Amino acid sequence: MALTAEEIDHVLDLFSGVPDLSTRKMFGGIGVYSDGTIFAVMMRDGRLMLKGQGDMIPRYDALDMERWTYQRPGKSETAMPYWIMPDSALEDGEEASDLAREALQHL
C-alpha cells in the first residue's frame, strides 16, 4: 500500500526546517531530498529513516537508532545506510530537522 497524502504532508512538516525540501515516490514510499540530495526515506509501512554515513553512524548509535536491514529469501541479511528515526523526533519537527541538517552535512 502506498503512503497517503497525509503521511507525506506529515514528513514535509517534520522536516520543514530543512532547505529546498522535496519528495519523490519510490517503491510505495518516498525519498526525501534537500537541494536534490536524498537524506531520508519513508517506507510504505510508515517507517521514517535518515541516511547515514561517516561520522553520523556513531551519532545514530548514540541515539539508539536502529539500522534498516532486510533479507531476501535464501540470501543473507543486508544492512542499508538508513537508520529508523527516534520516536521523539517523529513528533518534534525541530528535533527532526536538526537531525536531518546534521545528516546532510555528512552526505
Side-chain angles (χ1 to χ4, degrees), residues 31-98:
V32 187
Y33 298 77
S34 174
D35 195 28
T37 299
I38 190 168
F39 69 90
V41 295
M42 184 172 214
M43 306 301 285
R44 65 177 165 233
D45 64 7
R47 289 178 295 163
L48 181 59
M49 297 178 254
L50 286 174
K51 190 171 186 178
Q53 58 190 45
D55 292 340
M56 286 309 292
I57 295 171
R59 171 86 165 108
Y60 291 162
D61 288 342
L63 293 171
D64 290 325
M65 292 171 64
E66 180 184 344
R67 190 167 190 174
W68 174 36
T69 62
Y70 75 94
Q71 186 171 7
R72 292 185 178 160
K75 303 287 183 176
S76 60
E77 188 173 68
T78 302
M80 301 300 291
Y82 291 90
W83 280 256
I84 299 171
M85 292 270 291
D87 289 341
S88 60
L90 295 175
E91 299 300 325
D92 183 341
E94 187 174 330
E95 181 181 351
S97 291
D98 286 347

Side-chain angles (χ1 to χ4, degrees), residues 3-23:
L3 295 176
T4 66
E6 291 80 20
E7 289 170 315
I8 295 170
D9 286 345
H10 178 67
V11 170
L12 291 171
D13 187 49
L14 271 179
F15 293 128
S16 63
V18 176
D20 195 25
L21 197 59
S22 63
T23 63

